[in-house]
Amino acid sequence: MPQAGVPVPGAADRLPRREAVWPATIWWLGVHGGAGESTLAAFTPGTRPCDHAWPIPTTPGTTHRVVLVARTNYAGLIAAQRAATEWASNVLGEGVQLAGLVLIADAPGRRPKELRHLEQVIVGGVPRVWNLPWVDAWRLGPPDATAPLPKEFRSLFTDLALAPSSVPAHN
C-alpha cells in the first residue's frame, strides 16, 4: 500500500498519466523505453501495455492493476525506483493498484554486484517482484508465440492469474 510520508517525486521524475477507458486484467507499465511491456502483453490475452504512462481509470470506483516493467541495467532500475516511489507517495490515488515489479534481464548471465544491491533497495518498496531471464532469441527477432517460454514467465503469469497464449512450457 502507498505510505504516508513518502515524498512525491519531482515532475521530471514522474511518469506521465493517460486516461484508460479500456478494461484489462493487468496493465504492464514499462518505466522506460524497451522495458518489455508490449512483449508481456502479447503473451497474455486480456492485458494491455501502458505505453510508459500510468493508466488512470475514467470510471469512478474502477481500479487498474498495474505491474511495473523494467530492464535490469542501471537506467532501468533507477526508472523502476522512481515509478515505485511515485506510487508509494499516493499521488496516483485509489485508481491504481500496484501488483508488483517485473525485472527483465538486460543481458545473459549474473548481474554485477552493484546492480544486485540497487535491486535489493528497490524491491523493498513494491508488493512483489518477478525476475525474468534473458531470452537470446528475442535479440534477433520478435518473440515467437509458438516457442517455449522459460519457467519464470509461466510463474509470473500464474501468480497474476493470467492465462498465457498457447505457449509451450520450457524449463
Side-chain angles (χ1 to χ4, degrees), residues 23-159:
T25 309
I26 288 287
W27 290 86
W28 303 106
L29 175 51
V31 298
H32 59 86
E37 67 180 24
S38 59
T39 299
L40 290 170
F43 281 121
T44 50
T47 69
R48 293 184 181 273
C50 293
D51 297 322
H52 313 295
W54 291 104
I56 305 302
T58 57
T59 306
T62 301
T63 302
H64 290 320
R65 285 179 66 206
V66 175
V67 175
L68 303 176
V69 182
R71 292 290 178 162
T72 57
N73 57 29
Y74 178 79
L77 291 172
I78 292 298
Q81 184 177 38
R82 289 178 178 151
T85 301
E86 183 176 0
W87 168 78
S89 73
N90 205 26
V91 70
L92 299 167
E94 296 181 15
V96 174
Q97 175 196 14
L98 186 64
L101 167 64
V102 169
L103 294 173
I104 302 176
D106 68 308
R110 187 168 162 89
R111 281 191 282 288
K113 181 178 174 181
E114 298 81 6
L115 294 178
R116 291 192 316 267
H117 175 71
L118 179 56
E119 179 185 333
Q120 288 305 312
V121 170
I122 296 163
V123 302
V126 294
R128 179 81 194 264
V129 177
W130 298 271
N131 276 284
L132 302 183
W134 172 264
V135 180
D136 200 49
W138 297 352
R139 187 172 192 205
L140 301 174
D144 178 0
T146 63
L149 276 178
K151 66 182 174 191
E152 294 86 351
F153 283 80
R154 295 190 322 274
S155 293
L156 165 68
F157 301 152
T158 298
D159 290 348

